[in-house]
Amino acid sequence: MTTRRIIIVDDHPLFRAALRQTLAGGDPSISVEEAGDLSALSAALEADRECDLVLLDLNMPGVRGFSGLLLLRAQYPEIPVMIVTAVEDGGIIRRAFELGASGYLHKSVGPADIRRAIETVLSGEVFVPEGMEFPAEDNQSALMRRLATLTPQQVRVLMMLSDGLMNKQIAYELSISEATVKAHVSAILQKLDVDSRTQAVIAASKIEEGQFDELLSGA
């Protein structure tokens, strides 16, 4: 029997435990692991990249909005990611799919719906909440798709740019040369189709935690 490995990434231990019980209870074909943050997830995946699904909360300490999804999809593009969150907004869900999510699950749904959603994604399909209506594509949709083309290191550099760090500081934090940082910044500007670091930082702000309203309104 083939065992399917699922990793739950959420900072609430009780929710992780309940979801784990729902998924693995009585099913020997499913192996469920838990991670309290992205660092723990990265450690688990570096130890073994064979993973069938990651269940990711959007709002955790150290994760700014969609930055966790961006980084995960860039670093492990072969692993499907389903968002599991308390946010229930069509615009936010659209953004998640534009950034490469394979599914979106609200934390309030029952065990049967959770299992159905998981099986849908494990079978290679995309799970969209029943009855969910997405707003039409807008000028931010193209930006989201461009953000999805960034490499893991480019995502890190972009987030550091948004924190106001200069090239020298970014180089120190990432243990790379300033020349490499400059190359990453140039690639970021090209991929996002912007002309300056300031415009890149504005783009980064649209994926950060607490700025979902601006993201949806296109501000």
Side-chain angles (χ1 to χ4, degrees), residues 9 38 41-42 45 49 54-56 66-83 152 155:
V9 189
L38 283 183
L41 172 64
S42 295
L45 292 178
R49 290 183 69 109
V54 169
L55 303 177
L56 178 68
F66 292 114
S67 62
L69 174 60
L70 259 182
L71 186 60
L72 186 57
R73 295 298 300 134
Q75 193 160 3
Y76 307 99
E78 74 280 8
I79 301 176
V81 180
M82 174 178 281
I83 300 300
V155 173

Side-chain angles (χ1 to χ4, degrees), residues 19 22-23 55 82 105-107 109-119:
L19 184 55
T22 296
L23 296 177
L55 303 177
M82 174 178 281
L105 189 63
H106 194 268
K107 287 185 174 182
V109 301
D113 289 330
I114 292 174
R115 295 190 190 97
R116 180 171 60 88
I118 298 300
E119 287 299 331

